[in-house]
Amino acid sequence: MKVGIQLFSVKEALAKDPKGTLRQVAELGYRYIEPFCHPQPGDETSFGLYMGLEEARAFLKEVGLQVVGVHYYPLGCEGFEAFCQYYNSLGVEQVGSGGAHFPGGQSDVLAKCALMAKDAEIAQKHGLRYYYHNHYREYQEFGGKQVIQLIMENTPETVCYELDTFWAARGGVDPVKELDRWQSRLIPLMHQKDFSKAARVPVNIWEYLRQDFPITQEFDQTTRLLELYAEVGTGLLPIQDYIDAGNRVGIQYVLLEQDKTQIGEMASIEASMKAFRKFHGTQWDS
Protein backbone atom coordinates (compact mmCIF):
# COMPACT_ATOMS: atom_id res chain seq x y z
CA MET A 1 0.00 0.00 0.00
CA LYS A 2 1.43 3.35 -1.07
CA VAL A 3 1.07 6.44 1.13
CA GLY A 4 -0.28 9.72 -0.22
CA ILE A 5 -2.05 12.82 1.02
CA GLN A 6 -5.47 14.43 0.69
CA LEU A 7 -4.82 18.07 -0.14
CA PHE A 8 -7.55 19.20 2.27
CA SER A 9 -4.71 18.82 4.78
CA VAL A 10 -3.07 21.94 3.29
CA LYS A 11 -6.19 23.78 2.17
CA GLU A 12 -5.21 27.20 3.52
CA ALA A 13 -1.68 27.13 2.10
CA LEU A 14 -2.95 25.76 -1.21
CA ALA A 15 -5.44 28.61 -1.64
CA LYS A 16 -2.70 31.21 -1.03
CA ASP A 17 0.11 29.63 -3.08
CA PRO A 18 -0.93 26.53 -5.07
CA LYS A 19 2.35 25.79 -6.83
CA GLY A 20 4.52 26.65 -3.84
CA THR A 21 2.42 24.43 -1.59
CA LEU A 22 2.41 21.49 -3.99
CA ARG A 23 6.16 21.85 -4.40
CA GLN A 24 6.60 21.73 -0.61
CA VAL A 25 4.37 18.65 -0.41
CA ALA A 26 6.61 16.95 -2.98
CA GLU A 27 9.81 18.08 -1.27
CA LEU A 28 8.62 16.51 2.00
CA GLY A 29 8.43 13.19 0.18
CA TYR A 30 4.78 12.80 -0.72
CA ARG A 31 4.26 11.44 -4.24
CA TYR A 32 0.53 10.67 -4.43
CA ILE A 33 -2.14 13.31 -4.00
CA GLU A 34 -5.93 13.59 -3.92
CA PRO A 35 -7.11 17.16 -4.64
CA PHE A 36 -10.56 18.50 -3.71
CA CYS A 37 -12.68 21.17 -5.38
CA HIS A 38 -15.99 22.79 -6.24
CA PRO A 39 -15.78 22.59 -10.05
CA GLN A 40 -17.15 25.56 -11.96
CA PRO A 41 -18.12 25.26 -15.63
CA GLY A 42 -15.56 26.80 -17.94
CA ASP A 43 -12.90 27.24 -15.25
CA GLU A 44 -10.17 24.60 -15.12
CA THR A 45 -8.48 26.48 -12.28
CA SER A 46 -11.44 25.50 -10.08
CA PHE A 47 -10.72 21.77 -10.42
CA GLY A 48 -8.44 21.49 -7.38
CA LEU A 49 -4.98 22.15 -8.77
CA TYR A 50 -5.52 25.86 -9.49
CA MET A 51 -4.07 25.35 -12.98
CA GLY A 52 -5.24 24.83 -16.52
CA LEU A 53 -4.78 21.37 -18.02
CA GLU A 54 -1.46 21.78 -19.83
CA GLU A 55 0.06 23.81 -17.01
CA ALA A 56 -0.99 21.17 -14.50
CA ARG A 57 0.38 18.35 -16.64
CA ALA A 58 3.78 20.00 -16.90
CA PHE A 59 3.92 21.03 -13.25
CA LEU A 60 2.97 17.62 -11.85
CA LYS A 61 5.65 16.01 -13.99
CA GLU A 62 8.22 18.60 -12.87
CA VAL A 63 7.65 18.09 -9.14
CA GLY A 64 6.97 14.35 -9.29
CA LEU A 65 3.38 14.27 -8.03
CA GLN A 66 0.70 11.84 -9.20
CA VAL A 67 -3.02 12.45 -8.79
CA VAL A 68 -4.63 9.16 -7.68
CA GLY A 69 -8.15 10.45 -7.03
CA VAL A 70 -10.09 13.71 -6.70
CA HIS A 71 -12.95 14.90 -4.50
CA TYR A 72 -15.61 17.24 -5.83
CA TYR A 73 -18.62 19.00 -4.27
CA PRO A 74 -21.61 19.08 -4.56
CA LEU A 75 -23.32 16.10 -6.14
CA GLY A 76 -24.78 16.91 -9.54
CA CYS A 77 -22.83 20.14 -9.99
CA GLU A 78 -22.78 21.82 -13.38
CA GLY A 79 -18.99 21.70 -13.80
CA PHE A 80 -18.66 17.96 -13.18
CA GLU A 81 -18.36 16.77 -16.79
CA ALA A 82 -15.56 19.22 -17.65
CA PHE A 83 -13.88 18.21 -14.36
CA CYS A 84 -14.00 14.56 -15.49
CA GLN A 85 -12.53 15.43 -18.89
CA TYR A 86 -9.70 17.34 -17.20
CA TYR A 87 -8.69 14.50 -14.89
CA ASN A 88 -9.04 11.83 -17.55
CA SER A 89 -6.61 13.90 -19.64
CA LEU A 90 -4.18 13.88 -16.70
CA GLY A 91 -4.30 10.08 -16.58
CA VAL A 92 -6.29 9.84 -13.33
CA GLU A 93 -8.29 6.64 -12.86
CA GLN A 94 -11.01 7.73 -10.44
CA VAL A 95 -12.90 10.76 -9.14
CA GLY A 96 -15.58 10.98 -6.51
CA SER A 97 -17.82 12.84 -4.16
CA GLY A 98 -16.14 14.12 -1.01
CA GLY A 99 -19.41 13.55 0.84
CA ALA A 100 -22.96 14.79 1.29
CA HIS A 101 -25.38 15.60 4.11
CA PHE A 102 -28.76 13.96 4.63
CA PRO A 103 -30.76 16.12 7.05
CA GLY A 104 -33.99 15.11 5.30
CA GLY A 105 -33.65 11.47 6.31
CA GLN A 106 -34.18 8.46 4.07
CA SER A 107 -35.87 10.38 1.24
CA ASP A 108 -32.89 12.74 1.19
CA VAL A 109 -30.49 9.79 0.91
CA LEU A 110 -32.45 8.32 -2.00
CA ALA A 111 -32.54 11.66 -3.84
CA LYS A 112 -28.76 11.96 -3.50
CA CYS A 113 -28.31 8.34 -4.61
CA ALA A 114 -29.96 9.36 -7.89
CA LEU A 115 -27.44 12.19 -8.26
CA MET A 116 -24.55 9.80 -7.56
CA ALA A 117 -25.82 7.42 -10.22
CA LYS A 118 -25.94 10.23 -12.80
CA ASP A 119 -22.48 11.47 -11.86
CA ALA A 120 -21.10 7.92 -12.01
CA GLU A 121 -22.48 7.60 -15.52
CA ILE A 122 -20.74 10.82 -16.57
CA ALA A 123 -17.47 9.69 -14.98
CA GLN A 124 -17.68 6.30 -16.68
CA LYS A 125 -18.26 8.02 -20.05
CA HIS A 126 -14.90 9.72 -19.54
CA GLY A 127 -13.08 6.53 -18.56
CA LEU A 128 -13.13 7.13 -14.81
CA ARG A 129 -14.21 5.09 -11.82
CA TYR A 130 -16.58 6.93 -9.52
CA TYR A 131 -16.62 6.82 -5.72
CA TYR A 132 -18.27 8.19 -2.61
CA HIS A 133 -16.32 9.14 0.53
CA ASN A 134 -17.87 8.73 3.97
CA HIS A 135 -18.00 10.74 7.18
CA TYR A 136 -19.64 9.68 10.45
CA ARG A 137 -23.11 10.64 9.19
CA GLU A 138 -23.16 7.73 6.73
CA TYR A 139 -23.43 5.54 9.83
CA GLN A 140 -26.58 7.27 11.00
CA GLU A 141 -29.61 5.00 10.68
CA PHE A 142 -32.88 5.71 8.91
CA GLY A 143 -35.57 3.03 9.00
CA GLY A 144 -33.21 0.55 10.59
CA LYS A 145 -30.53 0.90 7.90
CA GLN A 146 -27.30 2.86 7.91
CA VAL A 147 -27.01 5.60 5.30
CA ILE A 148 -24.04 3.82 3.70
CA GLN A 149 -26.14 0.68 3.32
CA LEU A 150 -28.94 2.69 1.70
CA ILE A 151 -26.38 4.21 -0.68
CA MET A 152 -24.92 0.87 -1.67
CA GLU A 153 -28.39 -0.68 -2.11
CA ASN A 154 -29.79 2.21 -4.15
CA THR A 155 -26.95 3.00 -6.52
CA PRO A 156 -25.49 0.94 -9.37
CA GLU A 157 -22.20 -0.89 -8.86
CA THR A 158 -20.52 1.92 -10.78
CA VAL A 159 -20.82 3.91 -7.53
CA CYS A 160 -17.86 2.69 -5.51
CA TYR A 161 -16.73 3.45 -1.97
CA GLU A 162 -13.66 5.16 -0.53
CA LEU A 163 -13.53 4.27 3.15
CA ASP A 164 -12.34 6.91 5.60
CA THR A 165 -11.34 4.84 8.63
CA PHE A 166 -11.38 7.78 11.06
CA TRP A 167 -14.92 8.75 10.13
CA ALA A 168 -16.07 5.13 10.18
CA ALA A 169 -14.73 4.80 13.72
CA ARG A 170 -16.49 8.08 14.60
CA GLY A 171 -19.65 6.49 13.20
CA GLY A 172 -19.38 3.67 15.71
CA VAL A 173 -18.21 0.86 13.43
CA ASP A 174 -15.00 -1.11 13.12
CA PRO A 175 -13.12 0.06 9.97
CA VAL A 176 -11.53 -3.38 9.60
CA LYS A 177 -14.97 -4.97 9.35
CA GLU A 178 -16.09 -2.21 6.99
CA LEU A 179 -13.23 -2.98 4.61
CA ASP A 180 -14.38 -6.59 4.54
CA ARG A 181 -18.07 -5.66 4.35
CA TRP A 182 -17.77 -3.46 1.26
CA GLN A 183 -14.84 -5.22 -0.41
CA SER A 184 -16.71 -5.68 -3.70
CA ARG A 185 -17.52 -1.94 -3.95
CA LEU A 186 -14.23 -0.44 -2.77
CA ILE A 187 -11.90 1.61 -4.92
CA PRO A 188 -8.13 1.28 -4.28
CA LEU A 189 -8.01 4.35 -1.97
CA MET A 190 -8.71 4.80 1.72
CA HIS A 191 -8.32 7.77 4.05
CA GLN A 192 -6.48 7.87 7.35
CA LYS A 193 -6.72 10.53 10.06
CA ASP A 194 -6.10 10.01 13.77
CA PHE A 195 -8.10 10.69 16.94
CA SER A 196 -6.35 12.60 19.69
CA LYS A 197 -5.50 10.94 22.98
CA ALA A 198 -6.39 14.28 24.63
CA ALA A 199 -9.94 14.43 23.24
CA ARG A 200 -12.59 14.86 25.91
CA VAL A 201 -15.24 12.89 24.04
CA PRO A 202 -15.38 9.22 22.96
CA VAL A 203 -14.42 8.19 19.43
CA ASN A 204 -17.97 6.98 18.72
CA ILE A 205 -19.98 10.14 18.15
CA TRP A 206 -23.29 8.36 18.72
CA GLU A 207 -22.39 7.99 22.38
CA TYR A 208 -23.17 11.69 22.79
CA LEU A 209 -25.14 12.65 19.66
CA ARG A 210 -28.69 11.49 18.98
CA GLN A 211 -28.99 9.10 16.03
CA ASP A 212 -32.22 10.73 14.81
CA PHE A 213 -30.80 14.26 14.77
CA PRO A 214 -30.98 16.03 11.35
CA ILE A 215 -27.31 16.63 10.57
CA THR A 216 -27.08 19.74 8.42
CA GLN A 217 -23.81 20.99 7.00
CA GLU A 218 -23.89 23.84 9.50
CA PHE A 219 -24.44 21.54 12.47
CA ASP A 220 -21.79 19.12 11.22
CA GLN A 221 -19.15 21.85 11.44
CA THR A 222 -19.85 22.24 15.17
CA THR A 223 -18.85 18.59 15.75
CA ARG A 224 -15.38 19.04 14.21
CA LEU A 225 -13.52 20.26 17.26
CA LEU A 226 -9.81 21.06 16.97
CA GLU A 227 -9.05 18.94 20.03
CA LEU A 228 -10.24 15.76 18.27
CA TYR A 229 -7.50 15.67 15.63
CA ALA A 230 -4.01 14.25 16.13
CA GLU A 231 -1.23 14.08 13.58
CA VAL A 232 -1.62 10.72 11.87
CA GLY A 233 0.15 8.01 13.82
CA THR A 234 0.24 9.91 17.12
CA GLY A 235 -3.33 9.29 18.26
CA LEU A 236 -5.26 6.33 19.59
CA LEU A 237 -6.66 4.65 16.48
CA PRO A 238 -5.30 1.12 15.70
CA ILE A 239 -3.91 2.20 12.35
CA GLN A 240 -1.74 -0.87 11.79
CA ASP A 241 -4.91 -2.98 11.87
CA TYR A 242 -6.43 -0.77 9.18
CA ILE A 243 -3.32 -1.01 6.99
CA ASP A 244 -3.24 -4.80 7.34
CA ALA A 245 -6.93 -5.06 6.44
CA GLY A 246 -6.52 -2.63 3.54
CA ASN A 247 -3.65 -4.64 2.11
CA ARG A 248 -5.69 -7.82 2.47
CA VAL A 249 -8.61 -6.45 0.41
CA GLY A 250 -6.44 -4.76 -2.22
CA ILE A 251 -6.30 -1.09 -1.18
CA GLN A 252 -3.42 0.44 -3.14
CA TYR A 253 -3.16 3.90 -1.56
CA VAL A 254 -3.74 5.18 1.95
CA LEU A 255 -4.19 8.94 1.91
CA LEU A 256 -3.27 10.83 5.05
CA GLU A 257 -5.59 13.68 5.92
CA GLN A 258 -5.61 16.36 8.59
CA ASP A 259 -8.82 18.37 8.92
CA LYS A 260 -7.49 20.63 11.67
CA THR A 261 -4.17 21.02 13.43
CA GLN A 262 -2.65 23.03 16.25
CA ILE A 263 0.84 23.18 14.73
CA GLY A 264 0.29 24.60 11.23
CA GLU A 265 -0.50 22.74 8.02
CA MET A 266 2.98 22.04 6.62
CA ALA A 267 4.38 21.12 10.04
CA SER A 268 1.38 18.85 10.51
CA ILE A 269 1.78 16.86 7.30
CA GLU A 270 5.51 16.51 7.99
CA ALA A 271 4.79 15.24 11.52
CA SER A 272 2.22 12.79 10.15
CA MET A 273 4.70 11.51 7.60
CA LYS A 274 7.34 10.92 10.27
CA ALA A 275 4.90 9.22 12.64
CA PHE A 276 3.36 7.08 9.89
CA ARG A 277 6.71 5.60 8.91
CA LYS A 278 6.57 3.33 11.97
CA PHE A 279 3.82 1.25 10.38
CA HIS A 280 4.66 -1.68 8.14
CA GLY A 281 2.98 -2.78 4.94
CA THR A 282 3.33 0.68 3.35
CA GLN A 283 5.44 2.23 0.60
CA TRP A 284 6.32 5.92 0.20
CA ASP A 285 7.63 6.23 -3.32
CA SER A 286 7.17 4.59 -6.68
Side-chain angles (χ1 to χ4, degrees):
M1 183 187 299
K2 297 177 181 179
V3 184
I5 188 167
Q6 218 305 332
L7 292 182
F8 191 72
S9 307
V10 290
K11 53 190 173 294
E12 294 178 7
L14 196 64
K16 293 176 182 176
D17 181 8
K19 284 188 175 180
T21 300
L22 290 171
R23 194 178 297 277
Q24 286 183 70
V25 167
E27 287 172 350
L28 283 174
Y30 288 99
R31 293 289 173 262
Y32 310 104
I33 60 172
E34 184 184 42
F36 68 97
C37 67
H38 294 75
Q40 303 299 313
D43 183 7
E44 291 181 339
T45 65
S46 72
F47 295 168
L49 294 173
Y50 297 83
M51 291 174 251
L53 176 61
E54 295 308 320
E55 185 181 10
R57 193 196 312 276
F59 182 78
L60 292 171
K61 182 177 181 181
E62 176 193 343
V63 298
L65 290 174
Q66 179 183 343
V67 179
V68 296
V70 195
H71 283 185
Y72 77 100
Y73 311 85
L75 292 166
C77 62
E78 188 179 351
F80 183 66
E81 183 150 12
F83 161 89
C84 288
Q85 292 173 322
Y86 177 93
Y87 279 106
N88 172 264
S89 296
L90 287 178
V92 179
E93 296 183 355
Q94 55 251 327
V95 299
S97 169
H101 292 81
F102 312 96
Q106 185 166 333
S107 62
D108 197 354
V109 178
L110 297 179
K112 283 166 181 163
C113 284
L115 292 175
M116 290 181 214
K118 289 179 181 178
D119 285 353
E121 186 176 350
I122 293 169
Q124 189 174 39
K125 181 174 75 172
H126 293 286
L128 297 164
R129 282 191 295 258
Y130 179 87
Y131 60 91
Y132 181 82
H133 168 273
N134 68 290
H135 295 79
Y136 67 86
R137 52 191 180 267
E138 284 75 19
Y139 292 96
Q140 188 173 23
E141 292 187 5
F142 297 128
K145 289 187 177 182
Q146 294 171 335
V147 170
I148 191 59
Q149 185 176 355
L150 290 170
I151 291 173
M152 293 293 101
E153 290 178 352
N154 291 281
T155 55
E157 291 190 358
T158 49
V159 175
C160 300
Y161 189 25
E162 177 186 50
L163 183 71
D164 185 304
T165 61
F166 172 95
W167 287 123
R170 290 288 280 146
V173 300
D174 180 352
V176 171
K177 292 180 180 178
E178 284 300 283
L179 286 163
D180 289 329
R181 179 189 186 193
W182 301 117
Q183 183 173 353
S184 66
R185 295 287 288 270
L186 293 174
I187 60 160
L189 314 178
M190 76 177 188
H191 275 206
Q192 188 61 61
K193 290 188 274 291
D194 212 344
F195 196 83
S196 175
K197 296 173 183 177
R200 292 171 289 178
V201 295
V203 174
N204 181 358
I205 199 169
W206 307 123
E207 292 185 26
Y208 59 96
L209 182 66
R210 282 170 38 201
Q211 269 271 6
D212 60 351
F213 193 86
I215 301 171
T216 63
Q217 186 170 0
E218 293 73 22
F219 175 79
D220 180 44
Q221 292 303 313
T222 70
T223 69
R224 302 189 182 207
L225 305 175
L226 177 61
E227 68 180 53
L228 303 183
Y229 300 95
E231 275 55 57
V232 188
T234 69
L236 53 75
L237 294 180
I239 292 174
Q240 187 63 61
D241 292 346
Y242 304 161
I243 293 170
D244 293 343
N247 279 325
R248 186 177 69 249
V249 302
I251 299 295
Q252 296 174 13
Y253 299 91
V254 56
L255 301 168
L256 309 189
E257 185 177 29
Q258 192 71 20
D259 285 18
K260 296 183 177 182
T261 179
Q262 300 184 49
I263 64 173
E265 289 180 339
M266 299 311 296
S268 176
I269 67 169
E270 183 175 13
S272 289
M273 170 178 274
K274 290 177 178 177
F276 209 79
R277 289 186 183 276
K278 69 186 175 189
F279 299 117
H280 57 81
T282 62
Q283 179 182 340
W284 284 91
D285 51 31
S286 55

